[in-house]
């Protein structure tokens, strides 16, 4: 078997040059017709020495050096090079190397891939850009039935993130959160009638856009964002209460804010006693805590009818003195009552979208200087075959709900990343929240590992088609 194993080329010898293995070869293929007009018997015009980059072998970059014959057509008088099947027509590299760059660039930085193949980062970026354009044209992602929509600041701009909540994949990334680009996108979205449910926060732009351009889709308010409004209301009063305390008491109250943020049902008997002791001297704060906990029990309702009754009762029983602190929550309930209650008929949350946004931040951090289009391709296609496990983000005690991962912790992905940067701390008994180790495992399992073929397995046939046409 020839060393190169490329049709039309035969290796002669090799030598090493500055860490690159250079293989001298000769061309065995000939041209019997013009590549422009197909006229027979072109004649030899001249020969030129060419060097093509090849995929690395055992970690060593490869270059192929050969004399390539140029021909001139007798009919159209145009010149052309001797055709070689395994070489790219667009760049001085083999199609094997195009395949290598396209696949590895999905999950690794351009600098890393460039070092592997001894090519400039801009060359790797150029191949990846062409691959991204080809994917968008020949392999558009199917419109989901259950879509999540959120915002995230990526590539120095506030973007709109769209996800497929059933398949747990990115669906698209828009370079703006403003209404006009979002409206234009939703207006021309193909197969948008397939979308049955849209999970979202209560951002007015999202709510109005989905209502206008996807009127057939059921809008579901993300339970986390609604629950967070109740927690924020309690936190406002908690901060106001601490301001009038002596320094020692203020510090103790501040340190117990995490305990006060947990659901009562998840606390141990000792923790419940500590909460009672903390709130006892402050009657208004105790009432606010009970109001917050009472509101969160709405999400334990079996169906929409029961949830609607609990919500009405909670609004009727909310003490007047708490109105200024809970105004943001009560206003949201007034404006979006139907959207919030839709959750009890279509139990979807934006948990996957929030978790995947955290991982997209890691991608951007690893590859400094990524533009929007590069980041978009990496997010849409680089993780298509690896799901994000959000089961550890559930905060409910209901087993059936926990199995379906309807909810997740008040802790954000940003705080998870902060925790990962600090030395590990022993978890307290009875404490609930996202498993930091699980998020770390998603990264450690091969997010940037070139040897983990499972990441791009789904795209392998597409990458091969791209390389063959490049």
């Amino acid at each position: 078997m020839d060393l190169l194993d490329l049709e039309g080329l035969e290796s002669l010898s090799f030598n090493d040059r500055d860490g690159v293995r250079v293989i001298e070869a000769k061309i065995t293929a000939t041209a019997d017709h013009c590549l422009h007009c197909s006229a027979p018997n072109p004649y030899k015009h001249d020969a030129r020495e060419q060097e093509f980059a090849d995929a690395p072998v055992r970690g060593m970059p490869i270059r192929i050096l050969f004399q390539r014959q140029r021909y001139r057509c007798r009919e159209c008088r145009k010149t052309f090079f001797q055709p070689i099947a395994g070489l790219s027509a667009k760049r001085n590299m083999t199609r094997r190397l195009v395949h290598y760059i396209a696949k590895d660039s999905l999950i690794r930085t351009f600098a890393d891939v460039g070092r592997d193949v001894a090519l400039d980062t801009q060359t790797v970026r150029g191949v990846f850009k062409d691959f991204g354009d080809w994917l968008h044209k020949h392999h558009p992602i199917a419109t989901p039935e259950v879509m999540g929509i959120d915002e995230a600041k990526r590539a120095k701009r506030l973007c709109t993130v769209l996800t497929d909540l059933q398949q747990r994949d990115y669906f698209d990334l828009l370079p703006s959160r403003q209404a006009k680009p979002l409206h234009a996108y939703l207006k021309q979205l193909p197969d948008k009638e397939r979308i049955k449910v849209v999970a979202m926060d209560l951002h007015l732009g999202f709510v109005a856009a989905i209502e206008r351009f996807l009127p057939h889709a059921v809008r579901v308010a993300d339970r986390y964002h609604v629950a967070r409004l109740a927690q924020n209301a309690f936190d406002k009063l908690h901060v106001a209460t601490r301001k009038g305390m002596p320094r020692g008491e203020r510090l103790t109250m501040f340190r117990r804010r995490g305990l006060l943020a947990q659901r009562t049902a998840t606390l141990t008997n000792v923790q419940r006693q500590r909460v009672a002791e903390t709130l006892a001297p402050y009657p208004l704060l105790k009432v606010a805590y009970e109001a917050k906990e009472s509101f969160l029990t709405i999400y334990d309702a079996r169906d929409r009818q029961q949830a609607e009754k609990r919500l009405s009762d909670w609004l009727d029983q909310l003490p007047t003195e708490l109105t200024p602190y809970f105004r943001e929550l009560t206003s949201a309930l007034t404006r979006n009552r139907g959207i919030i209650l839709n959750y009890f008929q279509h139990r979807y949350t934006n948990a996957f979208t929030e978790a995947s946004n955290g991982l997209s931040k890691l991608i951007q951090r690893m590859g400094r200087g990524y533009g929007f289009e590069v980041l978009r391709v990496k997010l849409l296609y680089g993780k298509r075959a690896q799901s994000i496990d959000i089961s550890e983000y559930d905060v409910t005690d209901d087993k059936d709900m926990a199995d379906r991962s309807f909810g997740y912790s008040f802790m954000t992905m940003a705080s998870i990343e902060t925790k990962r940067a600090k030395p590990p701390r022993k978890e307290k008994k009875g404490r609930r929240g996202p498993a930091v180790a699980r998020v770390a495992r998603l990264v450690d399992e091969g997010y940037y590992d070139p040897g983990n073929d499972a990441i791009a397995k789904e795209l392998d046939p597409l990458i091969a088609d791209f390389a063959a046409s490049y």
Side-chain angles (χ1 to χ4, degrees), residues 110-316:
F110 299 145
D112 284 346
V113 177
R115 279 191 292 270
D116 284 354
V117 298
L119 287 175
D120 185 80
T121 303
Q122 293 303 319
T123 303
V124 176
R125 186 187 295 268
V127 174
F128 184 79
K129 181 183 181 303
D130 294 338
F131 179 46
D133 295 341
W134 186 88
L135 281 173
H136 290 320
K137 181 178 180 181
H138 298 280
H139 187 58
I141 298 173
T143 303
E145 292 186 6
V146 182
M147 187 174 76
I149 183 169
D150 197 13
E151 62 186 37
K153 189 172 184 180
R154 298 292 179 268
K156 299 181 179 180
R157 64 181 74 186
L158 197 58
C159 304
T160 300
V161 180
L162 304 173
T163 59
D164 185 337
L165 296 181
Q166 284 185 321
Q167 300 300 320
R168 295 196 174 185
D169 282 317
Y170 268 94
F171 170 54
D172 213 339
L173 187 69
L174 310 185
S176 173
R177 195 197 68 168
Q178 295 181 354
K180 190 173 181 181
L182 178 60
H183 290 182
Y185 176 85
L186 293 175
K187 186 176 181 179
Q188 56 80 42
L189 180 66
D191 300 325
K192 59 184 177 182
E193 64 278 357
R194 293 188 71 237
I195 302 176
K196 298 177 181 178
V197 178
V198 180
M200 64 183 79
D201 58 27
L202 297 177
H203 174 59
L204 294 179
F206 293 158
V207 172
I210 299 302
E211 181 182 24
R212 177 178 176 184
F213 295 97
L214 300 175
H216 59 283
V218 178
R219 295 171 295 164
V220 177
D222 179 32
R223 61 171 286 176
Y224 164 72
H225 287 87
V226 179
R228 188 172 62 180
L229 293 177
Q231 182 63 43
N232 289 346
F234 173 77
D235 288 344
K236 288 178 183 177
L237 182 56
H238 190 239
V239 171
T241 304
R242 292 203 310 264
K243 287 182 178 179
M245 295 180 180
R247 186 176 183 278
E249 294 180 19
R250 185 168 68 248
L251 185 58
T252 301
M253 181 68 81
F254 175 78
R255 288 172 175 170
R256 292 186 178 180
R257 70 194 187 285
L259 186 64
L260 296 174
Q262 295 183 55
R263 292 287 302 273
T264 301
T266 67
L267 299 177
T268 64
N269 291 333
V270 173
Q271 289 174 325
R272 289 175 185 168
Q273 181 63 31
R274 189 176 300 169
V275 168
E277 292 173 355
T278 302
L279 297 176
Y282 311 101
L284 186 60
L285 188 62
K286 181 180 180 181
V287 173
Y289 179 83
E290 293 170 349
K292 183 257 294 187
E293 289 297 307
S294 176
F295 177 81
L296 295 179
T297 60
I298 294 173
Y299 280 98
D300 298 331
R302 296 187 305 272
D303 51 37
R304 178 172 183 145
Q305 183 178 1
Q306 186 182 45
E308 192 157 12
K309 183 179 184 307
R310 290 186 181 184
L311 180 58
S312 297
D313 292 344
W314 184 85
L315 287 170
D316 293 339

